[in-house]
Amino acid sequence: MKVIITKDYDELSKEAFKVMKEVLDNNPAAVLGLATGSSPEGLYAEMVKDYKENGTSYKDVKTYNLDEYVDIDRNDPQSYYTFMNDHLFKHIDIDPANTHVPYGNNAEAAKEYDDQVKGVDIQLLGIGQNGHIGFNEPGTPFDERTHIVELTESTRNANKRFFDNDINKVPTHAITQGIGTVMDAKKILLVANGEAKADAVKAMVEGPVDPACPASVLQNHPDVVVIVDEAAASKLSK
Ligand code: F6R
């Protein structure tokens, strides 16, 4: 696991872009695993800027997102489908048919999505304050595939900022790639910023590999780059 510490979020996003760009340069038909949330917004802005300034093409790129709320309208302003269109897809030349965001509320939909997620060249991740990756909450078995999950109070609390600050408006369930699905990616890029992530980052990098911190499984992956700002890195011992 390679850990890069940056002075702030802007520098973090630029460093993350370098990692992403190298994958795209090596393979214009790369398969990207993508995440939503606040953490990757700066990286997506860098990708859009690069597309506009340098014309890096995404016409042969495929994307598979990590997760989506259950029983949310696809076009709801808070759906992850809307998030991806607003922050990335509609600004670049990607073919909408090559973009995939999971959707559904049952095991069949989850299995169908899991079967599609193949050959991911780089998987982008954020990390929850409780150490979750995707919506794999603490205690999730490391070999789990795409599945429906009940969100923890910690996660719904963290996400209520997008739902009028009302936890009751935050969906209770999500469909998420499993940790086993995520770990199949050839390369993993995790970004985290802010003090609220410091405990989770420490547990991921320095803690035991234990389902109590789902992100700690990344210690077992052969090619992981973690990019964190100074605040998120503040509890690391070295
Ligand atoms: C989003 C996802 C989540 C987030 C995590 C951090 O697709 O899978 O695991 O990465 O909850 O969210 P932010 O970046 O909003 O702090």
Side-chain angles (χ1 to χ4, degrees), residues 78 156-170:
Q78 297 311 333
R156 293 179 69 226
N157 223 354
N159 289 7
K160 73 180 181 199
R161 66 193 193 278
F162 302 114
F163 294 88
D164 304 328
N165 260 329
D166 181 355
I167 193 169
N168 297 312
K169 291 187 181 167
V170 183

Coordinates of all heavy atoms in Angstrom, one line a residue, residues 78 156-170:
Q78 N -30.4 13.3 -5.6 CA -29.4 12.7 -4.7 C -29.0 11.3 -5.1 O -28.3 10.6 -4.4 CB -29.9 12.7 -3.3 CG -30.2 14.1 -2.7 CD -29.0 15.0 -2.9 OE1 -27.8 14.6 -3.0 NE2 -29.2 16.3 -2.9
R156 N -25.7 6.9 7.5 CA -26.9 7.8 7.2 C -26.7 9.1 7.8 O -27.1 10.1 7.2 CB -28.2 7.1 7.7 CG -28.5 5.8 6.9 CD -29.7 5.1 7.4 NE -30.9 5.8 7.1 CZ -31.9 6.0 7.9 NH1 -31.8 5.5 9.1 NH2 -33.0 6.6 7.5
N157 N -26.1 9.2 9.0 CA -25.8 10.5 9.7 C -24.8 11.3 8.8 O -25.0 12.5 8.6 CB -25.2 10.2 11.0 CG -25.8 11.1 12.1 OD1 -26.6 12.0 11.8 ND2 -25.4 10.9 13.3
A158 N -23.8 10.6 8.3 CA -22.8 11.3 7.5 C -23.4 11.8 6.2 O -23.0 12.9 5.7 CB -21.6 10.4 7.2
N159 N -24.4 11.1 5.7 CA -24.9 11.5 4.4 C -26.2 12.4 4.5 O -26.7 12.8 3.4 CB -25.3 10.2 3.6 CG -24.0 9.5 3.1 OD1 -22.9 9.9 3.5 ND2 -24.1 8.5 2.3
K160 N -26.6 12.6 5.7 CA -27.9 13.5 5.8 C -27.6 14.9 5.3 O -28.6 15.6 5.0 CB -28.4 13.5 7.2 CG -27.6 14.3 8.2 CD -28.2 14.2 9.6 CE -27.4 15.1 10.5 NZ -27.6 14.8 11.9
R161 N -26.4 15.3 5.2 CA -26.1 16.6 4.6 C -26.7 16.8 3.2 O -26.9 17.9 2.8 CB -24.6 16.9 4.7 CG -23.7 16.1 3.8 CD -22.2 16.3 4.1 NE -21.3 15.8 3.2 CZ -20.9 14.5 3.1 NH1 -21.4 13.6 3.9 NH2 -20.0 14.1 2.2
F162 N -26.9 15.7 2.5 CA -27.4 15.8 1.2 C -29.0 15.7 1.2 O -29.6 15.8 0.1 CB -26.9 14.7 0.3 CG -25.4 14.7 0.2 CD1 -24.6 13.7 0.7 CD2 -24.7 15.8 -0.5 CE1 -23.2 13.7 0.6 CE2 -23.3 15.8 -0.6 CZ -22.6 14.8 -0.1
F163 N -29.5 15.5 2.4 CA -31.0 15.2 2.5 C -31.6 16.2 3.5 O -32.2 15.8 4.5 CB -31.3 13.8 2.9 CG -30.9 12.8 1.8 CD1 -29.6 12.2 1.8 CD2 -31.8 12.4 0.9 CE1 -29.3 11.3 0.8 CE2 -31.5 11.4 -0.1 CZ -30.2 10.9 -0.2
D164 N -31.4 17.5 3.3 CA -31.9 18.5 4.2 C -31.5 18.3 5.6 O -32.3 18.7 6.6 CB -33.5 18.6 4.1 CG -34.0 18.8 2.7 OD1 -33.3 19.5 1.9 OD2 -35.1 18.3 2.4
N165 N -30.4 17.7 5.9 CA -29.9 17.4 7.2 C -30.9 16.6 8.1 O -30.8 16.7 9.3 CB -29.6 18.7 8.0 CG -28.1 19.0 7.9 OD1 -27.3 18.1 7.9 ND2 -27.7 20.3 7.9
D166 N -31.7 15.8 7.4 CA -32.7 15.0 8.1 C -32.4 13.5 7.8 O -32.6 13.0 6.7 CB -34.1 15.4 7.5 CG -35.2 14.6 8.2 OD1 -34.9 13.8 9.0 OD2 -36.4 14.9 7.9
I167 N -32.0 12.9 8.9 CA -31.6 11.5 8.7 C -32.8 10.6 8.3 O -32.6 9.6 7.6 CB -31.0 10.9 10.1 CG1 -30.3 9.5 9.8 CG2 -32.0 10.8 11.2 CD1 -29.4 9.0 10.9
N168 N -34.0 11.0 8.6 CA -35.1 10.3 8.2 C -35.4 10.3 6.7 O -36.1 9.4 6.1 CB -36.4 10.8 8.9 CG -36.3 10.5 10.4 OD1 -35.9 9.5 10.8 ND2 -36.5 11.6 11.1
K169 N -34.7 11.2 6.0 CA -34.9 11.3 4.5 C -33.8 10.5 3.8 O -33.9 10.3 2.6 CB -34.8 12.8 4.1 CG -36.0 13.6 4.5 CD -35.9 15.0 3.8 CE -37.1 15.8 4.3 NZ -37.0 17.2 3.9
V170 N -32.8 10.0 4.6 CA -31.7 9.3 3.9 C -32.2 7.8 3.7 O -32.7 7.2 4.7 CB -30.5 9.2 4.8 CG1 -29.3 8.5 4.1 CG2 -30.0 10.7 5.2

